[in-house]
């Protein structure tokens, strides 16, 4: 699945769903964002079952504020409507792939029980 641009108009429909969504909060003036962009694209191509989206924080600061993004790039990993990871910093490709595998391997029923989230 190709990387999608996420905006206030389509953010909820792309994240309020079953499955994994990975969001990259970035800006065109950000050097680390530019360095991380090819890694994000390569990993997205290796994982066609995952929705990969990008939020331009310059254009959509409201979305960044919703998730308390104060530094970029910031990655957000959501699975089955639960935010599993939200952290600033560009990951090396092996670490990014490992993060995705960890999200895949989680027992989401257990995660939701522990968090007190009802289905």
């Amino acid at each position: 699945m190709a990387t999608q641009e996420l905006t206030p108009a389509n953010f909820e429909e792309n994240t309020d769903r079953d499955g994994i969504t990975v969001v990259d909060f970035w800006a065109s003036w950000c050097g680390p964002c530019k360095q991380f962009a090819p890694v994000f694209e390569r990993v997205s191509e290796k994982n066609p079952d995952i929705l990969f989206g990008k939020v331009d924080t310059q254009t959509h600061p409201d979305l960044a504020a919703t998730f308390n993004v104060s530094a970029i790039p910031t990655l957000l990993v959501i699975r089955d409507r639960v935010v599993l990871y939200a952290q600033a910093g560009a990951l090396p490709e092996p670490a990014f792939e490992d993060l995705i595998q960890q999200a895949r391997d989680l027992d989401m029923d257990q995660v939701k029980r522990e968090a007190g989230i009802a289905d």
Side-chain angles (χ1 to χ4, degrees):
M1 179 181 293
T3 300
Q4 296 184 22
E5 179 183 354
L6 299 179
T7 67
N10 70 5
F11 191 87
E12 189 171 332
E13 74 185 62
N14 283 299
T15 58
D16 187 18
R17 63 183 197 81
D18 288 338
I20 299 173
T21 303
V22 181
V23 182
D24 176 20
F25 290 90
W26 70 284
S28 61
W29 51 262
C30 167
C33 298
K34 289 179 184 179
Q35 290 177 318
F36 182 62
V39 171
F40 192 82
E41 289 301 319
R42 280 193 301 273
V43 173
S44 75
E45 290 168 5
K46 294 177 188 176
N47 295 278
D49 60 317
I50 295 176
L51 190 150
F52 285 80
K54 295 178 78 74
V55 174
D56 183 342
T57 59
Q58 194 76 22
T59 306
H60 306 294
D62 49 336
L63 279 178
T66 299
F67 291 95
N68 299 316
V69 172
S70 59
I72 52 175
T74 289
L75 276 178
L76 186 69
V77 178
I78 304 166
R79 180 169 167 202
D80 301 343
R81 296 171 199 81
V82 178
V83 175
L84 302 174
Y85 180 90
Q87 196 162 343
L91 294 175
E93 194 163 338
F96 188 24
E97 290 174 337
D98 183 58
L99 175 64
I100 288 172
Q101 190 58 53
Q102 289 180 49
R104 286 185 188 283
D105 292 343
L106 281 174
D107 178 341
M108 288 307 293
D109 291 333
Q110 180 180 347
V111 169
K112 288 179 179 182
R113 272 193 310 276
E114 290 174 3
I117 300 170
D119 265 337

